[in-house]
Amino acid sequence: MSLLDELRAVVGDAHVLTDPDLRAPFERDWTGRFGADALAVVRPADTEQVSAVVRVCAAHDVALVPQGGNTGLVGGGVPRGGEVVLSLTRLNTVAPVDPALRHVLVGAGATLAQLHVSAAAAGLATGLDFRARDSATLGGIVACNAGGARALRYGTARARVAGLEAVLADGTIISRLSGLAKDNAGVDLSQLLIGSEGTLGIITRVLWQLVPRYPSRVAALVPLPDIESASGLLAALTTHAPALEACELLTHDALSLSLQHQRRTNPVEDAPFYVFTELADHEDPTPQLVAAFEHAGIEDAAVADDTTSRERLWDLREGVAEAIASVGVPHKLDVGVPLAQLGAFLTELPLVVRAAASDARLVVFGHLGDGNLHVNVLDAGDHTDTTVDDAVLGLVLDHGGTISAEHGIGTAKAHWLERARPEYAVLQGLKAWLDPAGTLNPGSVLLRATTT
Amino acid sequence: MSLLDELRAVVGDAHVLTDPDLRAPFERDWTGRFGADALAVVRPADTEQVSAVVRVCAAHDVALVPQGGNTGLVGGGVPRGGEVVLSLTRLNTVAPVDPALRHVLVGAGATLAQLHVSAAAAGLATGLDFRARDSATLGGIVACNAGGARALRYGTARARVAGLEAVLADGTIISRLSGLAKDNAGVDLSQLLIGSEGTLGIITRVLWQLVPRYPSRVAALVPLPDIESASGLLAALTTHAPALEACELLTHDALSLSLQHQRRTNPVEDAPFYVFTELADHEDPTPQLVAAFEHAGIEDAAVADDTTSRERLWDLREGVAEAIASVGVPHKLDVGVPLAQLGAFLTELPLVVRAAASDARLVVFGHLGDGNLHVNVLDAGDHTDTTVDDAVLGLVLDHGGTISAEHGIGTAKAHWLERARPEYAVLQGLKAWLDPAGTLNPGSVLLRATTT
């Protein structure tokens, strides 16, 4: 049988898409920067079908690109040309919440928004959130170890994974879904798959650890004269506000773009930097915010303690990426810099960017509490021209940072990883051991070892 | 040069121990069940020396057994005969605490007690604790993904690791010590070493994530008629006591032994089961305890709200293992069972044990909140007779549990792992890829693949 016939035998005719119109939404990422034609898009219904699809593709020596909600930002979930896209969106079940353990078993294709609904119905919260919640799926979230604004309090996706099930490159299904908080019976292979971006296995189910639902919230937008003041406010919040849930940074240009895009006026004074923060607790966390403000010497702030005004402040923060996209296709660099280096990095960044692309426009925002900055550079040429990317990532490494904080490596940064990871050959060896034929997401994250 | 001369050249003459008297404390575990002669005990001073020792041993094809405080319970840290013991206790530095990130960088040989002191001086806590704190080292704690009574609130060691440094089997030093909470630049190899029990690499430094220090504490010992009542109390505590920090289980025999060993009388009524719990918060958590007791219908309990009486209750719980050791050398089975299966498991356990060893004496205690039971069996023959172990571990697997919750596999359970892990061949492949010569802790955790 041909590859396509075998795939149809596994998932049914209706779930092997070869018509270009049907394939299209799976072939290109939403930023429009990455993608190519797929050989086909295959949509399995369950773990066994995923395993069978992997076996079929491996037998035909055809590469697979696993895809969840296609909300990735580094080109790791769309074809490079000629692969089979394995879409996991049909694995979208969400089991009932276990109230004693606060666990919920979700299919890889369930969206973050679906999980939010289930968690809320059980009086709990997901503990992870970001703008693409309506599309982003749990499998992708775990495969990419997603972060977001609330990682400051709850950690990245890794901290929320109480177990998972996955399919390896040879079709083997591995499963760790007992929900036991302590299980030291040999190495936990789940940990290897978290953050592997679909290159070492395909996550099919996730046992998610929910967190308490805090009913009382307060948010604030604070204008600040310099990055040192922003760091000072973060330190005051960390010390005096145990209810701290998010502490975000916006530069003047980032907030201005967002305001402009949403046709709103600045609720606070114009300033070079802004911190946006949210506190959440069982009781009103406003006194904690006031205490932190006092210690940090904050006098001007927009404070939102009702749901509507809080959501409007969140919209300003979450709307930055869309505002940027509305004016151009940026070079997007999601980096992490140790807090102690943040001031120096932000001072040097504009100089480095200007030297690389004299007309470039720099828009920076991100998650201050994690040292996670989203460096967006507009008007720096087509994304295939990596001059400005090289300059920014070089600066990041000079300051002891990471070339990817939360978006992952994908195809966008695969050429950079060797410089960032001295033990690159070990990572290549790991890939070669788990996926010797290179079936899973080849070209993403790791470049093939040249010596094998 | 001979192996020993090369080792002396690396660490200095004084730190290569070949005299049997000097080797002895490193050659046998404290329970007296495991150990054999070592070729030598080598005590490197830092990471570079560890790397050099590994290279020397690999070049001479001599196996290494990494050892921390030698407090392990599964024979994974003592020689099987003829290996070099690599003792990490000289890597015992504890750097100053970073108050902003609550991180502290510790050497693999620093003890848990040392870390407690540093954390307390910074107004913080370690978030992990167990009885062997004065000897157990951070390297071993992370290598074995230790748990203990407070894992219920703070997770196992994995959740406390913000970064680590390690030496692989070929001497390569890998390092992830930037302290960045978000770092998705390729797979995190640290996660593979956590819980690998020294078989995939040797942890040399750990960046430890401290937790808040709660000044106000209350503990209670509660007698209960059956395991269902114990589970009911756990559920009430989980729901009504956000300050819940520990929820331990003792059977009648476990508490009786501990009382007898400490020459104390039972502070509560005699009962088939006891729950020992502790709550810790910024403010007095007693109202939370009272609320949980009301919901669970608890009327009889010994409540301790001052330090002395709390510590005396903890002594009863923590003293169980010593009390058992005072009456014999038990078969020790550290297992995990899903909470929903706990009742059935505890009903069947005595029958299964009695069938395996008619004179056996069963003493069970553990961490109720994690479903983690320490099944101790006295008078079931020498530990080389595994009849009773086989029976208990089989029952555990029948109930969907794990054959090791927190102690690890070591040499004691290595023969069992294949039955417990369907993907055993994948684990063997991982070992063969990272340590092809089998230099690191051979015979522990995994048996060598017979087909390679």
Side-chain angles (χ1 to χ4, degrees):
Chain A
M1 269 201 289
S2 75
L3 169 71
L4 292 177
D5 285 343
E6 286 192 47
L7 292 173
R8 288 186 188 109
V10 171
V11 300
D13 290 2
H15 301 298
V16 178
L17 314 179
T18 52
D19 180 326
D21 289 348
L22 296 179
R23 287 188 341 237
F26 301 87
E27 290 180 330
R28 189 152 285 277
D29 80 318
W30 71 270
T31 72
R33 292 174 301 162
F34 305 102
D37 286 350
L39 194 147
V41 175
V42 182
R43 305 180 64 236
D46 56 31
T47 304
E48 287 64 34
Q49 289 190 6
V50 173
S51 169
V53 168
V54 170
R55 286 178 206 271
V56 167
C57 287
H60 285 267
D61 201 18
V62 168
L64 274 173
V65 175
Q67 187 183 89
N70 194 11
T71 62
L73 289 162
V74 288
V78 287
R80 279 109 250 176
E83 299 92 343
V84 166
V85 171
L86 193 159
S87 169
L88 292 144
T89 54
R90 290 180 69 211
L91 282 74
N92 63 351
T93 53
V94 178
V97 171
D98 177 333
L101 293 170
R102 296 176 172 170
H103 287 169
V104 52
L105 184 61
V106 293
T111 63
L112 182 54
Q114 268 182 276
L115 184 59
H116 285 343
V117 170
S118 285
L124 296 166
T126 302
L128 186 141
D129 193 29
F130 52 84
R131 184 68 153 193
R133 60 186 73 88
D134 291 324
S135 307
T137 58
L138 272 299
I141 284 168
V142 173
C144 298
N145 190 25
R150 294 170 206 277
L152 179 64
R153 185 173 204 165
Y154 303 110
T156 61
R158 187 186 301 280
R160 304 264 61 73
V161 175
L164 59 77
E165 178 195 75
V167 174
L168 301 181
D170 64 355
T172 302
I173 298 169
I174 61 168
S175 175
R176 191 178 177 104
L177 294 173
S178 70
L180 290 165
K182 292 177 177 169
D183 184 354
N184 281 345
V187 161
D188 179 3
L189 292 174
S190 317
Q191 300 298 332
L192 207 49
L193 298 183
I194 299 169
S196 72
E197 305 182 38
T199 64
L200 302 181
I202 300 171
I203 293 168
T204 47
R205 287 199 288 176
V206 176
L207 191 64
W208 190 268
Q209 176 75 61
L210 299 169
V211 302
R213 184 167 205 84
Y214 296 113
S216 194
R217 290 175 180 268
V218 62
L221 183 70
V222 187
L224 292 159
D226 47 43
I227 191 69
E228 289 69 29
S229 308
S231 296
L233 175 53
L234 170 64
L237 285 163
T238 304
T239 310
H240 301 285
L244 180 62
E245 183 148 323
C247 189
E248 305 282 291
L249 181 75
L250 297 102
T251 56
H252 180 269
D253 287 352
L255 184 63
S256 299
L257 266 178
S258 190
L259 288 165
Q260 190 183 323
H261 186 58
Q262 297 183 23
R263 297 165 198 273
R264 290 166 62 180
T265 54
N266 192 343
V268 294
E269 273 182 26
D270 258 27
F273 293 97
Y274 303 86
V275 163
F276 171 66
T277 185
E278 185 174 61
L279 279 60
D281 211 340
H282 290 295
E283 283 157 32
D284 183 12
T286 307
Q288 296 180 28
L289 184 67
V290 170
F293 278 2
E294 277 178 13
H295 279 87
I298 302 299
E299 290 175 358
D300 181 24
V303 176
D305 54 8
D306 65 283
T307 304
T308 307
S309 53
R310 266 198 316 107
E311 285 177 356
R312 280 179 60 80
L313 282 189
W314 268 109
D315 273 345
L316 283 182
R317 162 60 189 88
E318 289 196 324
V320 175
E322 283 159 27
I324 294 169
S326 75
V327 298
V329 178
H331 291 242
K332 295 178 87 74
L333 298 156
D334 154 57
V335 303
V337 179
L339 285 177
Q341 297 288 316
L342 211 55
F345 177 80
L346 284 171
T347 302
E348 293 164 40
L349 181 62
L351 309 175
V352 158
V353 167
R354 211 168 301 141
S358 52
D359 295 332
R361 180 173 173 194
L362 185 62
V363 186
V364 178
F365 62 102
H367 312 292
L368 178 63
D370 309 312
N372 176 192
L373 298 178
H374 297 307
V375 177
N376 284 252
V377 190
L378 287 156
D379 304 324
D382 180 78
H383 78 273
T384 58
D385 175 359
T386 59
T387 315
V388 80
D389 308 59
D390 290 348
V392 173
L393 297 180
L395 186 65
V396 166
L397 291 181
D398 289 348
H399 286 283
T402 176
I403 63 167
S404 176
E406 58 181 12
H407 293 172
I409 296 296
T411 58
K413 290 181 181 170
H415 285 86
W416 260 90
L417 193 59
E418 185 164 9
R419 187 161 153 197
R421 294 286 297 267
E423 72 282 29
Y424 190 74
V426 180
L427 302 180
Q428 284 182 312
L430 178 60
K431 168 73 174 170
W433 160 67
L434 267 172
D435 181 16
T439 305
L440 300 182
N441 219 358
S444 190
V445 185
L446 291 167
L447 304 178
R448 198 75 176 267
T450 49
T451 50
T452 51
Chain B
M1 268 201 290
S2 74
L3 170 71
L4 293 176
D5 285 342
E6 286 191 48
L7 292 173
R8 288 186 188 108
V10 171
V11 300
D13 291 2
H15 300 298
V16 177
L17 313 180
T18 51
D19 179 326
D21 290 347
L22 297 180
R23 288 187 342 236
F26 301 87
E27 290 179 330
R28 189 151 283 277
D29 81 316
W30 71 271
T31 71
R33 293 173 301 161
F34 305 102
D37 286 350
L39 194 149
V41 176
V42 182
R43 305 179 66 235
D46 56 32
T47 305
E48 286 65 34
Q49 289 191 7
V50 173
S51 170
V53 168
V54 170
R55 286 179 205 271
V56 167
C57 286
H60 285 267
D61 202 19
V62 168
L64 273 173
V65 175
Q67 186 183 89
N70 195 11
T71 61
L73 289 162
V74 288
V78 287
R80 279 110 250 175
E83 300 92 342
V84 166
V85 171
L86 194 160
S87 168
L88 291 144
T89 54
R90 290 179 68 212
L91 282 74
N92 62 351
T93 53
V94 178
V97 171
D98 176 333
L101 294 170
R102 295 176 172 169
H103 287 168
V104 53
L105 183 61
V106 294
T111 63
L112 182 54
Q114 268 182 276
L115 184 58
H116 285 342
V117 170
S118 285
L124 296 166
T126 303
L128 186 143
D129 194 28
F130 51 84
R131 184 67 154 195
R133 60 187 70 90
D134 291 325
S135 307
T137 58
L138 272 300
I141 283 168
V142 172
C144 298
N145 190 24
R150 292 169 208 278
L152 179 63
R153 185 173 204 165
Y154 304 110
T156 61
R158 188 186 300 281
R160 305 264 62 74
V161 175
L164 59 77
E165 178 194 75
V167 174
L168 301 181
D170 65 355
T172 302
I173 297 169
I174 62 169
S175 175
R176 192 179 176 103
L177 294 173
S178 69
L180 290 165
K182 292 177 178 168
D183 184 355
N184 281 345
V187 161
D188 180 4
L189 292 174
S190 318
Q191 299 299 331
L192 206 49
L193 298 183
I194 299 169
S196 73
E197 305 182 38
T199 63
L200 301 180
I202 300 170
I203 293 167
T204 48
R205 289 199 286 176
V206 176
L207 192 63
W208 190 268
Q209 177 75 62
L210 299 169
V211 301
R213 183 166 205 85
Y214 296 113
S216 194
R217 290 174 179 269
V218 62
L221 183 70
V222 187
L224 293 158
D226 47 44
I227 191 69
E228 289 70 29
S229 308
S231 297
L233 176 53
L234 170 63
L237 286 163
T238 304
T239 311
H240 301 285
L244 179 63
E245 183 147 322
C247 188
E248 306 281 291
L249 181 75
L250 297 102
T251 56
H252 180 269
D253 287 351
L255 184 64
S256 299
L257 266 178
S258 190
L259 288 166
Q260 189 183 324
H261 186 57
Q262 297 182 23
R263 297 165 198 275
R264 290 166 61 182
T265 54
N266 192 344
V268 292
E269 270 181 29
D270 257 27
F273 293 97
Y274 303 86
V275 163
F276 171 66
T277 185
E278 185 174 61
L279 280 61
D281 211 339
H282 290 295
E283 283 156 33
D284 183 12
T286 307
Q288 296 180 27
L289 184 67
V290 170
F293 279 2
E294 277 177 14
H295 278 88
I298 302 300
E299 290 175 357
D300 181 24
V303 176
D305 53 8
D306 65 284
T307 304
T308 306
S309 53
R310 267 198 316 106
E311 285 177 355
R312 279 179 59 81
L313 282 190
W314 268 109
D315 273 345
L316 283 182
R317 162 61 188 88
E318 289 197 323
V320 175
E322 284 160 26
I324 293 169
S326 76
V327 298
V329 178
H331 291 242
K332 294 177 89 73
L333 298 156
D334 154 59
V335 303
V337 178
L339 286 176
Q341 296 289 318
L342 212 55
F345 176 80
L346 285 171
T347 302
E348 292 164 39
L349 182 63
L351 309 176
V352 157
V353 166
R354 211 169 301 140
S358 53
D359 297 331
R361 179 175 174 193
L362 185 61
V363 186
V364 178
F365 62 102
H367 312 292
L368 178 62
D370 310 312
N372 177 191
L373 298 178
H374 298 307
V375 177
N376 284 252
V377 190
L378 288 156
D379 304 324
D382 180 78
H383 78 273
T384 57
D385 175 357
T386 60
T387 315
V388 79
D389 308 60
D390 290 348
V392 173
L393 297 180
L395 186 65
V396 167
L397 292 181
D398 290 346
H399 286 282
T402 176
I403 63 166
S404 175
E406 58 181 12
H407 292 172
I409 296 296
T411 58
K413 291 181 179 170
H415 284 86
W416 260 89
L417 193 60
E418 185 164 8
R419 187 161 153 197
R421 294 286 297 268
E423 72 282 30
Y424 190 74
V426 180
L427 302 179
Q428 285 181 311
L430 178 60
K431 169 74 175 172
W433 160 67
L434 267 172
D435 181 17
T439 305
L440 300 181
N441 219 358
S444 191
V445 185
L446 291 166
L447 305 178
R448 198 75 176 268
T450 49
T451 51
T452 52

